[in-house]
Structure formats: structure tokens, C-alpha cells
Amino acid sequence: TAFGKGIPGGPGISSPACTDVTVRSFDTLPEEVDWIYRELQKLDLTDYSRAAIITRTNKACNEVCNLLKTGRPGEGKPVPFMLADEFRLFKRAESKDALACLSVIANPRDSESLKRILVRLLPGVGAATVNAVISRYKEGLGVALPDFIDPRTQRTGDFFAPLIEALDAGKVVVFDVESTGTDVYADDIVQMAAVRLAPDGAVAARFERYLRPSRPVGDSERVHGFSDAFLAERGDDPADALGAFLDFTDGCVIVGHNVGFDMAITQNNLRRRAVRRPFANVWYDTLDLSRRFLKDLPDHKLATVSAALGAAHDPTHDAMDDILATADVLTALILRYLIPRTEARRACYAQYIGRFAQAFAIFREVAGKLDGLDLPGLFCLVRERFGLDKAYADDPEKRSSLELLADYAADCVQPGVPLPQQIANLLELSALTAGELSQRSRTGNKVPVITAHQSKGCEFDYVFLPVLQEGVFPTFQAVRSGDVTEEKRVFYVSITRAKRKLFLSYARYGLGNSPAKPSRFLEMLG
């Protein structure tokens, strides 16, 4: 549909500033993007920066960009594009600094990000100390850089003291889960198994439950071997099973192989099943332990480590088999490496730990303020407490990068979604785009492909707004919450970026080739 001269303002949305508006529908997103490309060719621009493609979300922007990058040889004058990523946002030092802070907050064991923070941002440590600690790690002493900002080390003088003490007290639980997939925020646990160890490493008590998932197991059955029919018959109510697991592990130190996954998926299953009890046990990872001490192995998979240490049990992807193998690995690592090197390890901690006091205090302060924060709130806190605003106070370009990164953080906010997942979404976005930046052309005179947030304060003669579908514009999160007021404002800002002509479009099969409905905002325009 072409709306020649002007369109009426619909309920709650004023008419755009330009007087020439075209609305088109297509069957698929590739057809939609092809049409945009042809319309740009028809404009016959010499200054391509006079036109822009604006999308609501980074995901939509990436899909449109991927389709535009395929090229159309022999179809007229090529149209050059400048992706938002070409501003080198995620490659800038200030962006890497901020992302490193977020990464360590989400995963305190991220050594590379922590190294960057300690050397570039926080006082008291410096490159010489960081390199000295890293060298001790390479020597096989068992000391790692993240240990020095860990409360266990700061409190006891030995990162591993709580583990050794818990084993002596018979308070170590080794556990493992099997699940419907690897998404810790969305997948369901189908099996939980755990053993409590006696001081000599023998199994003192066992726990094992099957759980009824809320979704079909699908391809995951090939990994764990449990069918939907089996789990329907043998599976317990998930809330009951999770509660019993919390009882079994109460007051214990948790151990597992790559246990960060098991901890995260358990915590999120507890949240999704409305089990309002904390699962915040101190935990250790035999994957981390094996990397510290068994440096010559080709990999550190449980099967490889078990074989290297002569474990009595073999891992099979059954949770109980895997935890028995992990228990063997843990006992061997403690007896052969941790205990014999305790004195040397404690001496190393004592030598350097005082230099980390200020850094530890800042991390603890930020960690204590996470409850109730969303990603933009955390980003503001990080900028202030880690000194980013102060460091770049006299550099407008770097401050602008941080503001743009804050817009990306805002895009990652989803009501009801845990803060760690919001951080993961932003880190994933930065990782996906950073690898493409060095391959992009740096020349100007291109059509920018940007998000609505990035278009604020800009004007163009010609603006294309594709992917105008429900769940994208307005976003799925806004539709689910029942409040699209902010989305309506962003839509108005987007359409008023056009001075001469505005192109609005959607596809019946949109992102991911999924069925889509046209945005409600198109109807509101009249």
C-alpha cells in the first residue's frame, strides 16, 4: 500500500514528519530485504548516508544485515551498507573494559576479564603482580588469579580450605544433572543424582530422582537415555524433587565436573518451579582442579581425567555414574595434589593477597547491590564503581561509546528474566559482532543499518523500517507484560527520523522464518 500524500495519525501516534509513506507486506523476510535493496537502488543516491535502515532490536538488525551481506551481482548499481558494528563499538578499549567488568560479575572465575580489570581499572594490583600470580599457576602450584578476589581466600588464606575442611567433616556432596538441553534458563532437569562423601572419600549417602519435564525431551534422549514415557511414569513432581535435593545438600560444599552448568540450571529450575529456597552452597569444580594440576592432558573431559587418575567408576552420561566417577576424581586430586601442596599454596596467597584488598572490596560491594537491578542499572553501577566514568571524563568519544553500549544493555532487558541472563545476552551479542568488525569496510558513504536506539538524534531523507511484526516492534517482552507505551514512543521516534520518505514493511514469515503478525502500530497509523 502506498499512502501518497500524508497519512492520518492513529490513536496515540502522531503522523510522521515526512509526507510520503509506503507500507508493504511480503511472504518472507528475504523478500522484504530484497525489496528494500531495490528501492534503495531506485533512489540513485550519490550520498548513501542520506538513507537509513532502522530496526527495533539488535536481533532484527543482525538478520537484516546478514541478508544484505549476501550481495546481488548484476542487479544494478551496488548499494553499500554501514552496519552499526562498523563503529567498532565492541572493539573499543572502553567497551572491552566495561564488558570485562560485567563478565567477572556474572562469572568470577573469568581469568582473562579479571586480568584486564586489575591491570587497567583497579588500583593496588598492577601488571607485575598479575603476571607473578599467573606464573605460579603455570608452575602447577594450584593458585589461580580469581582466587584472590574470592571470599574463601580472603577469609581463610587458602581458596581450598573450605573444601578440605568439608571433606574432613563428611560435608561434601558431589552432584550432577541430566536435562532436556543446555540452556540453563529454559531447559528442564530430568535427573538429579548426588552422593555425600565420608572423610575417606567413600559414599556415605545417596540421592537420586527423576523429574517430569514441562517439555518433550527431544534429541536430549540420545544423551541421557530417558524417554518422555519413562519420565511420565517414573518422574517426580519437579518442585518436590528439588526440595528434597536442597534438604540433602543443606550445609554441604558442592562439587561437580563443570559444575557451574549444574548449579545454574538447578537455580533456574528452582526459580521457574517457584521453589522459594536458596541454593547458594559453596562449590568447587573438578574441571577447574584438573586444569590446575593435570596440565599435560589432551583435554579435561570427565572421561579423560577419570582415566588419567585411575578412577574406579566410568562416566556414562547417567547422572549417578558420572558423580561416582567425579567423586573418585575429587578424592584423588585432594590426596595427590591439594593436601601435599597446602603449605606452598598458603605462602603464595599470603605473599600477594594484601594487594588485592581494594579490588576485593569493590567486587563485594557490587555483588551486594545486584538484587533488584536490571542490566542498565548494573551498567551504571559498574561505570561508577570501576572508575570508567572518571577514566574517560575528558574523552567525549570514549564517553559516547559507553553511552552506546548502555543502549545495547537496554536492548537486552527482558522483564522477569534474571540479571545473569541479561548479562549473558549482552556478552553474546558483543562476541558475535566483534569477529565481524575487522572484515568490514571502513569507508564512508554507506547506508547505515542501525537499531531504533542508535537512531536517536539522527535524521535521514529516506528511512526504511523493516520487520514491523508483533514480538519485534513492539517487542515480545512488552507484549507479554501488557504495556507497550514505551514501544509506542520508540516507534514514533523511529518514523520521525525520515524527512522526505518513509518505507514501512513486514513479512508474514519473519525472524527465523516463523509465522508473524503485522505490528499493531501499522493499524494505528491508519
Side-chain angles (χ1 to χ4, degrees), residues 146-178:
D147 298 352
F148 289 86
I149 62 162
D150 192 286
R152 289 166 284 192
T153 314
Q154 292 280 336
R155 185 178 66 251
T156 69
D158 182 4
F159 175 72
F160 294 105
L163 173 61
I164 296 171
E165 292 168 2
L167 184 61
D168 287 342
K171 288 286 189 177
V172 168
V173 167
V174 182
F175 99 112
D176 186 45
V177 305
E178 298 295 336

PDB file of all heavy atoms in Angstrom, residues 146-178:
ATOM      1  N   PRO A 146      41.735 -15.625  39.896  1.00  0.00           N
ATOM      2  CA  PRO A 146      40.445 -15.321  40.530  1.00  0.00           C
ATOM      3  C   PRO A 146      40.377 -15.686  42.006  1.00  0.00           C
ATOM      4  O   PRO A 146      39.504 -15.172  42.724  1.00  0.00           O
ATOM      5  CB  PRO A 146      39.444 -16.155  39.708  1.00  0.00           C
ATOM      6  CG  PRO A 146      40.102 -16.364  38.381  1.00  0.00           C
ATOM      7  CD  PRO A 146      41.558 -16.512  38.716  1.00  0.00           C
ATOM      8  N   ASP A 147      41.272 -16.567  42.473  1.00  0.00           N
ATOM      9  CA  ASP A 147      41.253 -16.933  43.900  1.00  0.00           C
ATOM     10  C   ASP A 147      41.398 -15.710  44.798  1.00  0.00           C
ATOM     11  O   ASP A 147      40.846 -15.677  45.905  1.00  0.00           O
ATOM     12  CB  ASP A 147      42.408 -17.899  44.220  1.00  0.00           C
ATOM     13  CG  ASP A 147      42.321 -19.214  43.461  1.00  0.00           C
ATOM     14  OD1 ASP A 147      41.292 -19.455  42.802  1.00  0.00           O
ATOM     15  OD2 ASP A 147      43.295 -19.988  43.531  1.00  0.00           O
ATOM     16  N   PHE A 148      42.136 -14.700  44.329  1.00  0.00           N
ATOM     17  CA  PHE A 148      42.488 -13.584  45.202  1.00  0.00           C
ATOM     18  C   PHE A 148      41.327 -12.618  45.431  1.00  0.00           C
ATOM     19  O   PHE A 148      41.397 -11.791  46.342  1.00  0.00           O
ATOM     20  CB  PHE A 148      43.697 -12.839  44.638  1.00  0.00           C
ATOM     21  CG  PHE A 148      44.971 -13.630  44.750  1.00  0.00           C
ATOM     22  CD1 PHE A 148      45.332 -14.542  43.760  1.00  0.00           C
ATOM     23  CD2 PHE A 148      45.807 -13.492  45.845  1.00  0.00           C
ATOM     24  CE1 PHE A 148      46.497 -15.286  43.861  1.00  0.00           C
ATOM     25  CE2 PHE A 148      46.972 -14.233  45.958  1.00  0.00           C
ATOM     26  CZ  PHE A 148      47.317 -15.144  44.963  1.00  0.00           C
ATOM     27  N   ILE A 149      40.271 -12.671  44.613  1.00  0.00           N
ATOM     28  CA  ILE A 149      39.088 -11.841  44.876  1.00  0.00           C
ATOM     29  C   ILE A 149      37.941 -12.707  45.366  1.00  0.00           C
ATOM     30  O   ILE A 149      36.795 -12.272  45.399  1.00  0.00           O
ATOM     31  CB  ILE A 149      38.654 -11.048  43.629  1.00  0.00           C
ATOM     32  CG1 ILE A 149      38.257 -11.989  42.492  1.00  0.00           C
ATOM     33  CG2 ILE A 149      39.750 -10.078  43.192  1.00  0.00           C
ATOM     34  CD1 ILE A 149      37.427 -11.325  41.423  1.00  0.00           C
ATOM     35  N   ASP A 150      38.250 -13.945  45.760  1.00  0.00           N
ATOM     36  CA  ASP A 150      37.221 -14.868  46.236  1.00  0.00           C
ATOM     37  C   ASP A 150      37.121 -14.776  47.761  1.00  0.00           C
ATOM     38  O   ASP A 150      38.150 -14.775  48.453  1.00  0.00           O
ATOM     39  CB  ASP A 150      37.575 -16.298  45.821  1.00  0.00           C
ATOM     40  CG  ASP A 150      36.418 -17.247  46.017  1.00  0.00           C
ATOM     41  OD1 ASP A 150      36.130 -17.586  47.181  1.00  0.00           O
ATOM     42  OD2 ASP A 150      35.807 -17.646  45.015  1.00  0.00           O
ATOM     43  N   PRO A 151      35.913 -14.709  48.314  1.00  0.00           N
ATOM     44  CA  PRO A 151      35.765 -14.615  49.772  1.00  0.00           C
ATOM     45  C   PRO A 151      36.424 -15.762  50.526  1.00  0.00           C
ATOM     46  O   PRO A 151      36.893 -15.580  51.654  1.00  0.00           O
ATOM     47  CB  PRO A 151      34.243 -14.633  49.975  1.00  0.00           C
ATOM     48  CG  PRO A 151      33.673 -14.150  48.682  1.00  0.00           C
ATOM     49  CD  PRO A 151      34.612 -14.626  47.622  1.00  0.00           C
ATOM     50  N   ARG A 152      36.493 -16.946  49.906  1.00  0.00           N
ATOM     51  CA  ARG A 152      37.116 -18.084  50.583  1.00  0.00           C
ATOM     52  C   ARG A 152      38.590 -17.827  50.873  1.00  0.00           C
ATOM     53  O   ARG A 152      39.088 -18.125  51.959  1.00  0.00           O
ATOM     54  CB  ARG A 152      36.937 -19.354  49.729  1.00  0.00           C
ATOM     55  CG  ARG A 152      35.520 -19.876  49.702  1.00  0.00           C
ATOM     56  CD  ARG A 152      35.303 -20.906  48.606  1.00  0.00           C
ATOM     57  NE  ARG A 152      35.195 -20.276  47.288  1.00  0.00           N
ATOM     58  CZ  ARG A 152      34.782 -20.913  46.189  1.00  0.00           C
ATOM     59  NH1 ARG A 152      34.482 -22.199  46.235  1.00  0.00           N
ATOM     60  NH2 ARG A 152      34.684 -20.275  45.042  1.00  0.00           N
ATOM     61  N   THR A 153      39.272 -17.275  49.901  1.00  0.00           N
ATOM     62  CA  THR A 153      40.697 -16.990  50.090  1.00  0.00           C
ATOM     63  C   THR A 153      40.896 -15.832  51.060  1.00  0.00           C
ATOM     64  O   THR A 153      41.763 -15.879  51.945  1.00  0.00           O
ATOM     65  CB  THR A 153      41.354 -16.644  48.741  1.00  0.00           C
ATOM     66  OG1 THR A 153      40.947 -17.591  47.754  1.00  0.00           O
ATOM     67  CG2 THR A 153      42.867 -16.665  48.842  1.00  0.00           C
ATOM     68  N   GLN A 154      40.093 -14.802  50.886  1.00  0.00           N
ATOM     69  CA  GLN A 154      40.217 -13.636  51.746  1.00  0.00           C
ATOM     70  C   GLN A 154      39.918 -13.989  53.208  1.00  0.00           C
ATOM     71  O   GLN A 154      40.520 -13.428  54.131  1.00  0.00           O
ATOM     72  CB  GLN A 154      39.263 -12.533  51.265  1.00  0.00           C
ATOM     73  CG  GLN A 154      39.636 -11.925  49.921  1.00  0.00           C
ATOM     74  CD  GLN A 154      40.735 -10.907  50.033  1.00  0.00           C
ATOM     75  OE1 GLN A 154      40.947 -10.314  51.087  1.00  0.00           O
ATOM     76  NE2 GLN A 154      41.466 -10.673  48.934  1.00  0.00           N
ATOM     77  N   ARG A 155      39.011 -14.933  53.412  1.00  0.00           N
ATOM     78  CA  ARG A 155      38.607 -15.281  54.778  1.00  0.00           C
ATOM     79  C   ARG A 155      39.550 -16.271  55.446  1.00  0.00           C
ATOM     80  O   ARG A 155      39.853 -16.173  56.636  1.00  0.00           O
ATOM     81  CB  ARG A 155      37.184 -15.852  54.753  1.00  0.00           C
ATOM     82  CG  ARG A 155      36.598 -16.135  56.137  1.00  0.00           C
ATOM     83  CD  ARG A 155      35.173 -16.642  56.054  1.00  0.00           C
ATOM     84  NE  ARG A 155      35.086 -17.957  55.420  1.00  0.00           N
ATOM     85  CZ  ARG A 155      34.578 -18.174  54.228  1.00  0.00           C
ATOM     86  NH1 ARG A 155      34.101 -17.166  53.508  1.00  0.00           N
ATOM     87  NH2 ARG A 155      34.537 -19.389  53.719  1.00  0.00           N
ATOM     88  N   THR A 156      40.048 -17.250  54.675  1.00  0.00           N
ATOM     89  CA  THR A 156      40.810 -18.348  55.280  1.00  0.00           C
ATOM     90  C   THR A 156      42.284 -18.348  54.919  1.00  0.00           C
ATOM     91  O   THR A 156      43.066 -19.082  55.534  1.00  0.00           O
ATOM     92  CB  THR A 156      40.222 -19.704  54.845  1.00  0.00           C
ATOM     93  OG1 THR A 156      40.474 -19.909  53.442  1.00  0.00           O
ATOM     94  CG2 THR A 156      38.724 -19.767  55.111  1.00  0.00           C
ATOM     95  N   GLY A 157      42.667 -17.581  53.907  1.00  0.00           N
ATOM     96  CA  GLY A 157      44.054 -17.608  53.461  1.00  0.00           C
ATOM     97  C   GLY A 157      44.367 -18.742  52.518  1.00  0.00           C
ATOM     98  O   GLY A 157      45.506 -18.895  52.076  1.00  0.00           O
ATOM     99  N   ASP A 158      43.350 -19.543  52.154  1.00  0.00           N
ATOM    100  CA  ASP A 158      43.538 -20.667  51.238  1.00  0.00           C
ATOM    101  C   ASP A 158      42.221 -20.923  50.534  1.00  0.00           C
ATOM    102  O   ASP A 158      41.221 -21.296  51.156  1.00  0.00           O
ATOM    103  CB  ASP A 158      43.990 -21.920  51.995  1.00  0.00           C
ATOM    104  CG  ASP A 158      44.239 -23.119  51.080  1.00  0.00           C
ATOM    105  OD1 ASP A 158      44.134 -22.966  49.843  1.00  0.00           O
ATOM    106  OD2 ASP A 158      44.514 -24.210  51.608  1.00  0.00           O
ATOM    107  N   PHE A 159      42.191 -20.741  49.224  1.00  0.00           N
ATOM    108  CA  PHE A 159      40.966 -20.933  48.450  1.00  0.00           C
ATOM    109  C   PHE A 159      40.355 -22.314  48.680  1.00  0.00           C
ATOM    110  O   PHE A 159      39.134 -22.480  48.677  1.00  0.00           O
ATOM    111  CB  PHE A 159      41.286 -20.735  46.959  1.00  0.00           C
ATOM    112  CG  PHE A 159      40.142 -21.016  46.022  1.00  0.00           C
ATOM    113  CD1 PHE A 159      39.067 -20.152  45.938  1.00  0.00           C
ATOM    114  CD2 PHE A 159      40.152 -22.153  45.220  1.00  0.00           C
ATOM    115  CE1 PHE A 159      38.013 -20.406  45.066  1.00  0.00           C
ATOM    116  CE2 PHE A 159      39.106 -22.421  44.347  1.00  0.00           C
ATOM    117  CZ  PHE A 159      38.040 -21.540  44.273  1.00  0.00           C
ATOM    118  N   PHE A 160      41.198 -23.316  48.908  1.00  0.00           N
ATOM    119  CA  PHE A 160      40.709 -24.685  49.025  1.00  0.00           C
ATOM    120  C   PHE A 160      40.441 -25.129  50.460  1.00  0.00           C
ATOM    121  O   PHE A 160      40.007 -26.262  50.686  1.00  0.00           O
ATOM    122  CB  PHE A 160      41.702 -25.651  48.361  1.00  0.00           C
ATOM    123  CG  PHE A 160      41.801 -25.477  46.872  1.00  0.00           C
ATOM    124  CD1 PHE A 160      42.907 -24.855  46.316  1.00  0.00           C
ATOM    125  CD2 PHE A 160      40.781 -25.911  46.049  1.00  0.00           C
ATOM    126  CE1 PHE A 160      43.001 -24.690  44.943  1.00  0.00           C
ATOM    127  CE2 PHE A 160      40.864 -25.752  44.675  1.00  0.00           C
ATOM    128  CZ  PHE A 160      41.973 -25.132  44.118  1.00  0.00           C
ATOM    129  N   ALA A 161      40.662 -24.274  51.430  1.00  0.00           N
ATOM    130  CA  ALA A 161      40.456 -24.661  52.825  1.00  0.00           C
ATOM    131  C   ALA A 161      39.025 -25.131  53.099  1.00  0.00           C
ATOM    132  O   ALA A 161      38.834 -26.170  53.763  1.00  0.00           O
ATOM    133  CB  ALA A 161      40.829 -23.505  53.747  1.00  0.00           C
ATOM    134  N   PRO A 162      37.981 -24.431  52.623  1.00  0.00           N
ATOM    135  CA  PRO A 162      36.616 -24.911  52.894  1.00  0.00           C
ATOM    136  C   PRO A 162      36.338 -26.293  52.318  1.00  0.00           C
ATOM    137  O   PRO A 162      35.580 -27.078  52.913  1.00  0.00           O
ATOM    138  CB  PRO A 162      35.723 -23.851  52.240  1.00  0.00           C
ATOM    139  CG  PRO A 162      36.566 -22.615  52.218  1.00  0.00           C
ATOM    140  CD  PRO A 162      37.958 -23.107  51.969  1.00  0.00           C
ATOM    141  N   LEU A 163      36.939 -26.627  51.179  1.00  0.00           N
ATOM    142  CA  LEU A 163      36.738 -27.944  50.573  1.00  0.00           C
ATOM    143  C   LEU A 163      37.390 -29.030  51.430  1.00  0.00           C
ATOM    144  O   LEU A 163      36.762 -30.062  51.733  1.00  0.00           O
ATOM    145  CB  LEU A 163      37.319 -27.958  49.160  1.00  0.00           C
ATOM    146  CG  LEU A 163      37.341 -29.316  48.442  1.00  0.00           C
ATOM    147  CD1 LEU A 163      35.928 -29.859  48.266  1.00  0.00           C
ATOM    148  CD2 LEU A 163      38.043 -29.195  47.094  1.00  0.00           C
ATOM    149  N   ILE A 164      38.638 -28.812  51.821  1.00  0.00           N
ATOM    150  CA  ILE A 164      39.351 -29.815  52.621  1.00  0.00           C
ATOM    151  C   ILE A 164      38.674 -29.996  53.979  1.00  0.00           C
ATOM    152  O   ILE A 164      38.491 -31.126  54.459  1.00  0.00           O
ATOM    153  CB  ILE A 164      40.828 -29.403  52.775  1.00  0.00           C
ATOM    154  CG1 ILE A 164      41.511 -29.388  51.392  1.00  0.00           C
ATOM    155  CG2 ILE A 164      41.561 -30.347  53.715  1.00  0.00           C
ATOM    156  CD1 ILE A 164      42.904 -28.791  51.391  1.00  0.00           C
ATOM    157  N   GLU A 165      38.251 -28.886  54.585  1.00  0.00           N
ATOM    158  CA  GLU A 165      37.579 -28.966  55.884  1.00  0.00           C
ATOM    159  C   GLU A 165      36.231 -29.680  55.762  1.00  0.00           C
ATOM    160  O   GLU A 165      35.850 -30.463  56.646  1.00  0.00           O
ATOM    161  CB  GLU A 165      37.388 -27.565  56.447  1.00  0.00           C
ATOM    162  CG  GLU A 165      38.694 -26.888  56.845  1.00  0.00           C
ATOM    163  CD  GLU A 165      38.517 -25.415  57.130  1.00  0.00           C
ATOM    164  OE1 GLU A 165      37.357 -24.925  57.060  1.00  0.00           O
ATOM    165  OE2 GLU A 165      39.524 -24.737  57.412  1.00  0.00           O
ATOM    166  N   ALA A 166      35.498 -29.407  54.673  1.00  0.00           N
ATOM    167  CA  ALA A 166      34.195 -30.042  54.490  1.00  0.00           C
ATOM    168  C   ALA A 166      34.344 -31.548  54.296  1.00  0.00           C
ATOM    169  O   ALA A 166      33.537 -32.335  54.813  1.00  0.00           O
ATOM    170  CB  ALA A 166      33.471 -29.420  53.299  1.00  0.00           C
ATOM    171  N   LEU A 167      35.378 -31.974  53.562  1.00  0.00           N
ATOM    172  CA  LEU A 167      35.596 -33.408  53.384  1.00  0.00           C
ATOM    173  C   LEU A 167      35.929 -34.066  54.721  1.00  0.00           C
ATOM    174  O   LEU A 167      35.397 -35.151  55.038  1.00  0.00           O
ATOM    175  CB  LEU A 167      36.712 -33.655  52.368  1.00  0.00           C
ATOM    176  CG  LEU A 167      36.975 -35.125  52.026  1.00  0.00           C
ATOM    177  CD1 LEU A 167      35.736 -35.772  51.400  1.00  0.00           C
ATOM    178  CD2 LEU A 167      38.168 -35.258  51.078  1.00  0.00           C
ATOM    179  N   ASP A 168      36.757 -33.432  55.520  1.00  0.00           N
ATOM    180  CA  ASP A 168      37.082 -33.970  56.843  1.00  0.00           C
ATOM    181  C   ASP A 168      35.841 -34.117  57.718  1.00  0.00           C
ATOM    182  O   ASP A 168      35.763 -35.021  58.562  1.00  0.00           O
ATOM    183  CB  ASP A 168      38.096 -33.065  57.553  1.00  0.00           C
ATOM    184  CG  ASP A 168      39.492 -33.181  56.958  1.00  0.00           C
ATOM    185  OD1 ASP A 168      39.748 -34.182  56.262  1.00  0.00           O
ATOM    186  OD2 ASP A 168      40.311 -32.267  57.176  1.00  0.00           O
ATOM    187  N   ALA A 169      34.844 -33.226  57.501  1.00  0.00           N
ATOM    188  CA  ALA A 169      33.625 -33.250  58.312  1.00  0.00           C
ATOM    189  C   ALA A 169      32.516 -34.094  57.689  1.00  0.00           C
ATOM    190  O   ALA A 169      31.421 -34.172  58.246  1.00  0.00           O
ATOM    191  CB  ALA A 169      33.127 -31.824  58.522  1.00  0.00           C
ATOM    192  N   GLY A 170      32.792 -34.746  56.544  1.00  0.00           N
ATOM    193  CA  GLY A 170      31.747 -35.516  55.867  1.00  0.00           C
ATOM    194  C   GLY A 170      30.653 -34.644  55.291  1.00  0.00           C
ATOM    195  O   GLY A 170      29.487 -35.046  55.219  1.00  0.00           O
ATOM    196  N   LYS A 171      31.026 -33.417  54.847  1.00  0.00           N
ATOM    197  CA  LYS A 171      30.044 -32.456  54.361  1.00  0.00           C
ATOM    198  C   LYS A 171      30.298 -32.061  52.901  1.00  0.00           C
ATOM    199  O   LYS A 171      30.049 -30.917  52.506  1.00  0.00           O
ATOM    200  CB  LYS A 171      30.081 -31.195  55.232  1.00  0.00           C
ATOM    201  CG  LYS A 171      29.510 -31.383  56.624  1.00  0.00           C
ATOM    202  CD  LYS A 171      27.984 -31.460  56.579  1.00  0.00           C
ATOM    203  CE  LYS A 171      27.372 -31.430  57.961  1.00  0.00           C
ATOM    204  NZ  LYS A 171      25.894 -31.437  57.899  1.00  0.00           N
ATOM    205  N   VAL A 172      30.795 -32.982  52.095  1.00  0.00           N
ATOM    206  CA  VAL A 172      30.961 -32.744  50.662  1.00  0.00           C
ATOM    207  C   VAL A 172      29.911 -33.544  49.909  1.00  0.00           C
ATOM    208  O   VAL A 172      29.757 -34.749  50.129  1.00  0.00           O
ATOM    209  CB  VAL A 172      32.370 -33.135  50.177  1.00  0.00           C
ATOM    210  CG1 VAL A 172      32.431 -33.155  48.650  1.00  0.00           C
ATOM    211  CG2 VAL A 172      33.407 -32.156  50.717  1.00  0.00           C
ATOM    212  N   VAL A 173      29.178 -32.871  49.023  1.00  0.00           N
ATOM    213  CA  VAL A 173      28.195 -33.527  48.156  1.00  0.00           C
ATOM    214  C   VAL A 173      28.639 -33.360  46.709  1.00  0.00           C
ATOM    215  O   VAL A 173      28.884 -32.241  46.252  1.00  0.00           O
ATOM    216  CB  VAL A 173      26.787 -32.923  48.341  1.00  0.00           C
ATOM    217  CG1 VAL A 173      25.854 -33.395  47.224  1.00  0.00           C
ATOM    218  CG2 VAL A 173      26.209 -33.323  49.690  1.00  0.00           C
ATOM    219  N   VAL A 174      28.780 -34.469  46.011  1.00  0.00           N
ATOM    220  CA  VAL A 174      29.075 -34.452  44.576  1.00  0.00           C
ATOM    221  C   VAL A 174      27.754 -34.654  43.845  1.00  0.00           C
ATOM    222  O   VAL A 174      27.006 -35.574  44.175  1.00  0.00           O
ATOM    223  CB  VAL A 174      30.070 -35.565  44.200  1.00  0.00           C
ATOM    224  CG1 VAL A 174      30.395 -35.504  42.719  1.00  0.00           C
ATOM    225  CG2 VAL A 174      31.344 -35.430  45.030  1.00  0.00           C
ATOM    226  N   PHE A 175      27.463 -33.788  42.875  1.00  0.00           N
ATOM    227  CA  PHE A 175      26.174 -33.946  42.191  1.00  0.00           C
ATOM    228  C   PHE A 175      26.299 -33.677  40.704  1.00  0.00           C
ATOM    229  O   PHE A 175      27.263 -33.088  40.216  1.00  0.00           O
ATOM    230  CB  PHE A 175      25.117 -33.066  42.860  1.00  0.00           C
ATOM    231  CG  PHE A 175      24.819 -31.748  42.185  1.00  0.00           C
ATOM    232  CD1 PHE A 175      23.592 -31.529  41.579  1.00  0.00           C
ATOM    233  CD2 PHE A 175      25.745 -30.706  42.197  1.00  0.00           C
ATOM    234  CE1 PHE A 175      23.280 -30.307  40.996  1.00  0.00           C
ATOM    235  CE2 PHE A 175      25.445 -29.487  41.617  1.00  0.00           C
ATOM    236  CZ  PHE A 175      24.208 -29.283  41.003  1.00  0.00           C
ATOM    237  N   ASP A 176      25.257 -34.135  39.980  1.00  0.00           N
ATOM    238  CA  ASP A 176      25.203 -33.986  38.532  1.00  0.00           C
ATOM    239  C   ASP A 176      23.736 -34.019  38.128  1.00  0.00           C
ATOM    240  O   ASP A 176      22.894 -34.620  38.809  1.00  0.00           O
ATOM    241  CB  ASP A 176      25.969 -35.118  37.840  1.00  0.00           C
ATOM    242  CG  ASP A 176      26.052 -34.922  36.326  1.00  0.00           C
ATOM    243  OD1 ASP A 176      26.347 -33.801  35.892  1.00  0.00           O
ATOM    244  OD2 ASP A 176      25.801 -35.886  35.592  1.00  0.00           O
ATOM    245  N   VAL A 177      23.419 -33.362  37.021  1.00  0.00           N
ATOM    246  CA  VAL A 177      22.055 -33.389  36.495  1.00  0.00           C
ATOM    247  C   VAL A 177      22.085 -33.782  35.029  1.00  0.00           C
ATOM    248  O   VAL A 177      23.088 -33.589  34.335  1.00  0.00           O
ATOM    249  CB  VAL A 177      21.350 -32.025  36.650  1.00  0.00           C
ATOM    250  CG1 VAL A 177      21.378 -31.550  38.094  1.00  0.00           C
ATOM    251  CG2 VAL A 177      21.943 -30.975  35.722  1.00  0.00           C
ATOM    252  N   GLU A 178      20.981 -34.350  34.568  1.00  0.00           N
ATOM    253  CA  GLU A 178      20.722 -34.523  33.143  1.00  0.00           C
ATOM    254  C   GLU A 178      19.502 -33.674  32.816  1.00  0.00           C
ATOM    255  O   GLU A 178      18.598 -33.514  33.646  1.00  0.00           O
ATOM    256  CB  GLU A 178      20.469 -35.991  32.799  1.00  0.00           C
ATOM    257  CG  GLU A 178      21.645 -36.906  33.098  1.00  0.00           C
ATOM    258  CD  GLU A 178      22.876 -36.620  32.253  1.00  0.00           C
ATOM    259  OE1 GLU A 178      22.725 -36.062  31.152  1.00  0.00           O
ATOM    260  OE2 GLU A 178      23.992 -36.935  32.708  1.00  0.00           O
TER     261      GLU A 178
END
